[in-house]
Amino acid sequence: MKLLILDRDGVINEDSDAYIKSVAEWIPIPGSVEAIARLSQAGWTVAVATNQSGLARGYYDEATLEAMHARLRQLVAEQGGQLGLIVHCPHGPDDGCDCRKPLPGLLQQIAAHYGIELAGRWFVGDSPGDIAAAQAVGCQPVLVRSGKGERTRAKGLPQGVLVFDDLAAVAAHLLAVEADR
């Protein structure tokens, strides 16, 4: 199974320090939806693992989050692709859960859902927590410069982290490597 796991905010859609609280505020990063569709069409399963502490903070509810994800699925479908499992952590930073990145719970949920090992699979994010979660389960950490990625990169990265401009560049790389095989 060809599986790519993505963070959401800053990777697929624009991020905001004020949180993405509505479908209207959920704005795809140019090229991200098309990248997911292209990967899907090439036989990849694309899953999403996202911290959504705005739920715990009361900024939006589960129905609003599901509407954002329905919009994402619709946009990918309009491009001829499909999106796999989306898992989210609804907890705040101090709630003591095991799913909030940098802990690996969300990635482990994806592995259990698909019945696969995570070692060597790519996890694409834009934050130190994404990188740490990837490393905790043996995923290849991939940083995109979109979202908070450039800020994360400026603080220094652990050895072995791959860096791309955005999700479209990640998809182009993966598809080019496949084409060369």
Side-chain angles (χ1 to χ4, degrees):
M1 171 184 210
K2 298 184 297 186
L3 174 69
L4 180 66
I5 306 172
L6 309 176
D7 174 43
R8 193 191 83 170
D9 300 332
V11 175
I12 300 172
N13 57 279
E14 301 291 343
D15 200 355
S16 169
D17 288 334
Y19 295 84
I20 307 301
K21 301 176 292 299
S22 68
V23 174
E25 292 177 4
W26 188 90
I27 300 166
I29 293 171
S32 66
V33 168
E34 296 82 358
I36 293 168
R38 287 178 54 220
L39 287 164
S40 170
Q41 292 164 355
W44 286 81
T45 298
V46 181
V48 176
T50 179
N51 286 350
Q52 293 296 320
S53 69
L55 290 167
R57 298 169 200 267
Y59 296 157
Y60 50 90
D61 57 22
E62 286 278 351
T64 301
L65 181 64
E66 288 308 314
M68 289 182 226
H69 293 164
R71 177 73 178 136
L72 169 58
R73 288 185 187 283
Q74 173 193 354
L75 291 173
V76 172
E78 287 172 4
Q79 295 292 321
Q82 65 179 22
L83 187 60
L85 183 67
I86 301 174
V87 293
H88 69 275
C89 170
H91 306 108
D94 301 321
D95 288 350
C97 67
D98 68 352
C99 53
R100 183 175 172 78
K101 296 176 291 180
L103 296 173
L106 293 176
L107 300 178
Q108 291 166 337
Q109 287 177 39
I110 291 170
H113 175 83
Y114 289 114
I116 55 147
E117 295 293 323
L118 292 173
R121 298 182 192 274
W122 285 25
F123 177 55
V124 181
D126 69 329
S127 73
D130 294 329
I131 292 168
Q135 291 175 317
V137 293
C139 281
Q140 168 61 61
V142 179
L143 181 77
V144 288
R145 290 185 176 110
S146 55
K148 296 180 174 84
E150 200 53 55
R151 220 184 318 175
T152 300
R153 187 170 167 256
K155 294 176 185 173
L157 298 174
Q159 188 171 1
V161 176
L162 303 176
V163 180
F164 291 88
D165 286 341
D166 54 21
L167 181 54
V170 172
H173 173 80
L174 290 172
L175 295 171
V177 167
E178 269 191 345
D180 287 344
R181 286 189 183 152

